[in-house]
Amino acid sequence: MPKGYWVSTYRTISDPEKLAAYSELARLAVKAGGGRVLVRGGRVVAHEAGIAERTVLIEFDSFEQAVAARESATYQEALVALSDGVERDFRIVEGID
């Protein structure tokens, strides 16, 4: 079964306090959903049309688990805490089996 991944890139962070509150709640949702953080921030080298942005990569055992974790009540609470504190691109992608 192919794994599922959350891929987030942060274009701007306008409210670090909202991001911190979101991070605490999101961490709980990821853990409850069986996710594992593979990348959180750190160094980025962007090529071609890429932009060096804060990047987060979280792995789940399946695409369905990744979707369910995003839809969970705990993650929805995290999104409320984040509100307009950042501008980001968030995707759920299916890995190759």
Side-chain angles (χ1 to χ4, degrees):
M1 174 180 298
K3 293 186 177 185
Y5 297 88
W6 287 6
V7 182
S8 301
T9 56
Y10 289 74
R11 295 192 175 109
T12 61
I13 299 171
S14 57
D15 192 329
E17 290 179 9
K18 286 183 179 180
L19 179 58
Y22 159 84
S23 294
E24 286 300 313
L25 293 167
R27 182 180 54 80
L28 298 174
V30 167
K31 184 176 180 181
R36 293 166 300 285
V37 177
L38 302 179
V39 175
R40 184 178 64 216
R43 298 188 302 170
V44 175
V45 176
H47 296 278
E48 299 174 32
I51 301 169
E53 301 170 316
R54 174 184 167 85
T55 302
V56 177
L57 176 64
I58 301 173
E59 179 183 61
F60 293 84
D61 288 336
S62 71
F63 181 78
E64 291 74 19
Q65 270 187 304
V67 170
R70 170 69 170 75
E71 294 173 352
S72 72
T74 304
Y75 192 73
Q76 296 307 305
E77 185 179 344
L79 289 175
V80 169
L82 182 60
S83 65
D84 62 351
V86 302
E87 178 187 356
R88 69 180 183 157
D89 180 2
F90 180 97
R91 298 166 190 250
I92 300 174
V93 297
E94 184 175 52
I96 298 173
D97 191 22

